[in-house]
Amino acid sequence: SWFLRSAPTAWLSGAPARRTRPFASHKGQFGDVTVLGGEGLRRRGMGMGGAALLAGSAALHAGAGRVLVALLDGDAGPGIDVSQPELMLRSPAALQLDQGTVVCGCGGGEAVVEQLAAVLRQARRLVLDADALNAVAADDTLQDQLRDRARHGLMTVLTPHPLEAARLLHQGAAEVQADRLAAAAQLTERYACVVVLKGSGTVIAAPGCVPAVNPTGNGRLATAGTGDVLAGMVGAALAGADHGHELTPEQALDLARDAVYRHGELADLWPAGKALTAGRLARQAVQQQPD
Ligand code: APR
Ligand code: MG
């Protein structure tokens, strides 16, 4: 009973264990990440501006075996992003959503809404960010679908910032910020998902699990696109732990927590005098399984 009284309501999470990539590795072992998002090549006029490309870049640098990116509001079609030739651009229709890990909603706007029902039905492992979260918040049918996923053992990680969390909870952002642990817990219960409530002291929570508060990161991350980078890193973490069976909430929480830790750690170790941009952050992303 002493233990129960003194048990923390959240763990301040420590540094994740580092693993070694086996000598005879094959890219198929590190998982596919499919990014469905937007702000495409045409609209921005160049590749690195897009939220989905940032997420894809981060997933790649975080060690995903293959990264496919579909730009929903662009006109790129299949092709290459000349600044990141490793990213495989696909048209949304050509994606196989039931394979690997899907990261959805980094940009894409209204076009995400049209795709989301199919994504929620098919993706085995799913990270929902930004525009996808706003679409879910506005649509009861999508919310039911999200809960159905959990019943079928399909893993979903939500990565809201406080305003996105507020929309999902039909609250104000101030209310979310006043008790971030409570807000994260409400999100896990309401949507039966793993939740990464972003911002200073990111909370990582999962149904039935003790939540974690991330100790890394700082105000340098307060720049557009760093959230997209995190979504890609979480996607890579889920993809890298794909051993043919579905993840438990505990496992998904741990993987998300590790990704959040490393994302913040990059900012903490950032060289003085060098601006932290999302593109640079993505390229600094650390492999979960270093060589
Ligand atoms: N301390 C620690 N981490 C921080 C801090 C901080 N002070 N500030 C930001 N972060 C981290 C968050 O925890 C999160 O991982 O940086 C990331 C920011 O992610 P988002 O809030 O999703 O921001 P992002 O999507 O990259 O860009 C913001 O989204 O809402 C729109 O219009 C808004 O243009 C803006 C864009
Ligand atoms: Mg964001």
Side-chain angles (χ1 to χ4, degrees):
S1 69
W2 169 85
F3 175 77
L4 286 179
R5 271 202 310 280
S6 63
T9 53
W11 298 105
L12 196 61
S13 63
R18 299 236 185 263
R19 279 168 297 229
T20 305
R21 183 172 282 211
F23 183 70
S25 294
H26 175 268
K27 66 175 181 269
Q29 287 169 257
F30 306 107
D32 290 356
V33 173
T34 298
V35 181
L36 220 74
E39 289 157 39
L41 297 176
R42 188 186 191 186
R43 203 155 93 177
R44 288 292 169 101
M46 59 187 215
M48 274 312 289
L53 293 169
L54 284 170
S57 176
L60 199 59
H61 289 91
R66 299 195 311 166
V67 180
L68 299 96
V69 180
L71 298 169
L72 297 171
D73 61 359
D75 192 27
I80 64 161
D81 171 0
V82 288
S83 70
Q84 303 182 90
E86 309 92 330
L87 293 180
M88 295 182 271
L89 299 191
R90 294 282 185 274
S91 68
L95 295 178
Q96 290 186 295
L97 296 171
D98 58 346
Q99 288 174 17
T101 295
V102 177
V103 177
C104 182
C106 298
E110 284 295 303
V112 169
V113 182
E114 294 156 28
Q115 302 283 330
L116 202 50
V119 170
L120 289 170
R121 229 178 3 256
Q122 293 176 51
R124 288 177 49 232
R125 294 173 182 205
L126 179 59
V127 180
L128 295 183
D129 189 36
D131 291 350
L133 297 174
N134 295 331
V136 166
D139 188 327
D140 290 345
T141 312
L142 294 175
Q143 292 172 18
D144 288 340
Q145 259 195 290
L146 200 51
R147 289 184 278 263
D148 278 345
R149 288 179 54 78
R151 279 194 280 277
H152 291 105
L154 303 173
M155 184 49 62
T156 317
V157 180
L158 311 180
T159 60
H161 62 44
L163 186 58
E164 289 154 356
R167 291 188 191 115
L168 286 165
L169 291 170
H170 306 295
Q171 295 177 355
E175 208 179 327
V176 168
Q177 290 297 75
D179 193 341
R180 289 167 52 78
L181 279 171
Q186 285 169 39
L187 285 168
T188 62
E189 279 167 35
R190 186 167 183 149
Y191 296 108
C193 292
V194 175
V195 170
V196 175
L197 176 57
K198 296 183 293 191
S200 187
T202 292
V203 178
I204 309 99
C209 302
V210 178
V213 178
N214 182 61
T216 62
N218 59 65
R220 281 172 153 164
L221 288 170
T223 177
T226 55
D228 308 310
V229 171
L230 179 68
M233 291 177 69
V234 173
L238 298 185
D242 198 341
H243 308 298
H245 45 78
E246 306 306 342
L247 290 168
T248 65
E250 289 85 352
Q251 290 169 330
L253 183 148
D254 262 359
L255 292 165
R257 188 179 60 96
D258 288 0
V260 171
Y261 186 97
R262 292 195 306 274
H263 180 262
E265 189 181 42
L266 292 175
D268 292 342
L269 301 175
W270 202 260
K274 179 174 173 176
L276 190 157
T277 67
R280 284 173 169 173
L281 186 69
R283 288 190 293 275
Q284 288 298 311
V286 183
Q287 283 188 348
Q288 186 191 14
Q289 298 177 307
D291 304 308

